Amino acid sequence: MSDIVIRAENLGKKYTIGHQAENGKYTALRDVLAQNARTLWHKTRDLVQGKPLILGDTLEEVWALQDVNFAIQRGEAVGIIGRNGAGKSTLLKILSRITEPSVGRVTIKGRVASLLEVGTGFHPELSGRENVYLNGAILGMTRREIKRKFDEIVAFAEVEKHLDTPVKRYSSGMYVRLAFAVAAHLEPEILVVDEVLAVGDAAFQKKCLGKMGDVASEGRTVLFVSHNMAAIDNLCSSCLHIFRGQIVDRGDTQSVISKYVNSYSEIAKTTSSLLTRQDRIGTGEARFRQITFLNDANEEVSGVPMGEALTIRLEYQVYESVADPLFAIFIVDQFGKTVVRAFTYESLPTPIPLSPSKPNGVLSCRFESMPLIHGNYQIHLWLGRSSTPIDYVEYAASIEITQKDVYGTGKLLDHRSGVFFTKHSWLY
């Protein structure tokens, strides 16, 4: 008997999206009437043929997934990684039977419990107690089975005081706590979890990861999508990397994560100007233009030895005035975890003024002694107002921290020493 519980064969999902015609230019009345007639004809035809109606003057076909093939064994904990828009959530929706594939097929053996969005399967007008029974029934559990697990679910979710309150009055954190507790405790053969756990606080995230680890150790299968590489590494034995709707890598977790992070490191190395990067987010009143690393002699470098000074020089372009902007630098390790960060509001007495009257700006951040163990690290750049991004560029550059005999003893530090080192001395 095969131990494969999920098998995807030539899987693909196509969406049709509509685009409105540009309104910024003059259009003759005859052109408007002709366009409206064509739109009416297309919508009438789609309605007669039973196709969904798509709003827009022109239509475009987009493949969210294409030619996806994989097999997952019983008891595997599989991480799914990739950038936003890669197709991760679409894959989970197909596996959870929320949406159907356009081509190909998926074979699943066992009951699937999924947590893809906050409050998945909950009715807002019902209480937390009623939703536990409702959600359990949706997952195929009998009332007796739900009753047997009920106290354990409530204790895990920590919502005892609000159990008889309609869930529409729950905070997003309470929603996700109860939804995860139901999905994880009703003993599904396959547990599918999206990035929704990011809504919870740190303590609850740790609790959830521990529970998913328990589920996997009991011989059940876990599929976990997250941008938290450390969580993926701790929980999952294998990993899938999805890029533009296709699986580009699969293998042991650390190997796949390392290639994933390094692939964006290579993008950073080959990009001469940050202005050409299309994978940024933000409102766009200003944008990062260039990032440069300088050593203690003010020379441009690609890395520095452990413990030596490093200056990160940022050039940016201003298009509109910004009041009280916040700049930040995040240095992340091979698992995408932030290990060093610097904010302007912590060390500058007043915000840096941004005005189009001075469109080209330069900002430098100096680290007197870089405390990281040797290795390759990535740089994320943030410019925003409080929590609203004006320009956020992930993997803007990579920096190499090289090995050095920091204590002068002839002995070199390795990663068993941790991520950081602090110069110290022993007396006796």
Side-chain angles (χ1 to χ4, degrees):
M1 183 177 177
S2 174
D3 275 341
I4 294 176
V5 294
I6 301 177
R7 185 188 296 276
E9 300 173 278
N10 303 316
L11 193 64
K13 180 63 179 178
K14 178 178 67 175
Y15 291 102
T16 302
I17 60 177
H19 299 288
Q20 296 289 346
E22 186 178 347
N23 295 322
K25 60 182 181 179
Y26 170 77
T27 305
L29 177 60
R30 64 177 180 274
D31 295 329
V32 174
L33 294 175
Q35 180 62 54
N36 288 342
R38 285 194 297 269
T39 300
L40 179 61
W41 160 247
H42 288 311
K43 290 181 179 178
T44 303
R45 181 193 61 189
D46 290 344
L47 186 62
V48 170
Q49 295 176 352
K51 296 180 179 179
L53 295 178
I54 309 295
L55 297 178
D57 300 313
T58 59
L59 303 181
E60 178 186 1
E61 293 184 346
V62 176
W63 285 90
L65 292 174
Q66 196 166 18
D67 195 27
V68 171
N69 296 274
F70 62 86
I72 296 176
Q73 301 281 339
R74 186 184 311 279
E76 267 194 283
V78 181
I80 303 176
I81 61 175
R83 307 205 74 179
N84 291 330
K88 306 184 298 299
S89 295
T90 300
L91 175 60
L92 295 193
K93 287 178 180 178
I94 292 175
L95 297 180
S96 303
R97 298 187 178 93
I98 294 173
T99 186
E100 294 290 328
S102 302
V103 295
R105 59 179 294 189
V106 177
T107 305
I108 300 175
K109 297 180 181 179
R111 183 169 51 219
V112 179
S114 59
L115 186 58
L116 307 184
E117 296 178 6
V118 174
T120 301
F122 279 14
H123 191 295
E125 298 295 336
L126 299 181
S127 68
R129 183 188 304 275
E130 293 166 327
N131 270 296
V132 169
Y133 282 92
L134 172 64
N135 208 234
I138 291 172
L139 294 174
M141 306 297 291
T142 66
R143 185 176 181 86
R144 179 178 295 178
E145 289 175 301
I146 299 170
K147 190 173 182 179
R148 178 169 54 87
K149 287 280 187 178
F150 185 83
D151 290 341
E152 190 177 344
I153 290 169
V154 173
F156 186 92
E158 302 173 2
V159 294
E160 295 93 335
K161 293 181 179 179
H162 309 282
L163 196 57
D164 294 305
T165 302
V167 296
K168 66 181 181 181
R169 297 194 175 95
Y170 282 17
S171 67
S172 58
M174 292 168 64
Y175 250 110
V176 77
R177 288 208 301 270
L178 189 58
F180 180 85
V182 173
H185 284 81
L186 295 184
E187 300 180 354
E189 284 83 7
I190 302 168
L191 178 61
V192 178
V193 183
D194 205 343
E195 187 68 64
V196 66
L197 290 185
V199 175
D201 56 44
F204 184 72
Q205 288 181 37
K206 184 177 180 180
K207 195 176 186 180
C208 290
L209 292 173
K211 183 60 181 178
M212 285 192 286
D214 293 342
V215 169
S217 66
E218 293 168 1
R220 288 179 276 164
T221 305
V222 176
L223 275 69
F224 182 36
V225 166
S226 180
H227 291 284
N228 185 337
M229 298 298 117
I232 292 279
D233 181 50
N234 288 333
L235 177 69
C236 303
S237 56
S238 62
C239 195
L240 297 174
H241 175 197
I242 298 181
F243 179 71
R244 294 180 179 174
Q246 296 182 311
I247 295 177
V248 294
D249 195 13
R250 176 168 187 184
D252 69 275
T253 303
Q254 289 197 357
S255 174
V256 174
I257 289 176
S258 179
K259 291 177 184 177
Y260 168 69
V261 174
N262 288 336
S263 67
Y264 294 107
S265 171
E266 292 303 314
I267 292 174
K269 290 178 181 177
T270 57
T271 303
S272 59
S273 171
L274 294 178
L275 288 177
T276 63
R277 290 280 295 271
Q278 300 298 314
D279 55 342
R280 68 209 309 147
I281 62 173
T283 52
E285 291 93 331
R287 284 189 168 183
F288 292 106
R289 190 176 69 225
Q290 193 76 39
I291 179 171
T292 308
F293 301 113
L294 305 172
N295 62 13
D296 205 24
N298 212 36
E299 300 167 332
E300 187 172 331
V301 293
S302 59
V304 294
M306 295 166 50
E308 295 196 4
L310 171 68
T311 297
I312 300 179
R313 184 175 185 269
L314 305 176
E315 300 176 37
Y316 55 89
Q317 190 85 27
V318 181
Y319 304 102
E320 298 178 29
S321 296
V322 179
D324 300 331
L326 164 67
F327 287 85
I329 294 172
F330 302 94
I331 303 179
V332 301
D333 65 10
Q334 61 176 325
F335 299 117
K337 183 177 181 181
T338 300
V339 291
V340 175
R341 92 283 185 275
F343 294 94
T344 50
Y345 83 86
E346 293 176 335
S347 54
L348 290 179
T350 58
I352 300 169
L354 295 183
S355 171
S357 62
K358 187 180 178 182
N360 301 317
V362 178
L363 176 66
S364 294
C365 179
R366 177 179 170 85
F367 298 89
E368 296 296 337
S369 176
M370 184 50 63
L372 294 171
I373 296 292
H374 67 95
N376 188 268
Y377 298 86
Q378 314 302 318
I379 309 294
H380 298 343
L381 300 179
W382 166 277
L383 167 59
R385 304 181 194 86
S386 184
S387 60
T388 302
I390 294 172
D391 193 29
Y392 179 47
V393 184
E394 291 185 310
Y395 303 102
S398 62
I399 179 74
E400 184 73 22
I401 306 299
T402 57
Q403 184 65 275
K404 181 182 178 181
D405 179 10
V406 292
Y407 297 111
T409 61
K411 298 176 182 178
L412 301 178
L413 302 180
D414 59 31
H415 286 277
R416 289 176 299 178
S417 307
V419 179
F420 299 96
F421 74 95
T422 303
K423 287 187 177 181
H424 58 274
S425 59
W426 292 84
L427 301 176
Y428 62 92

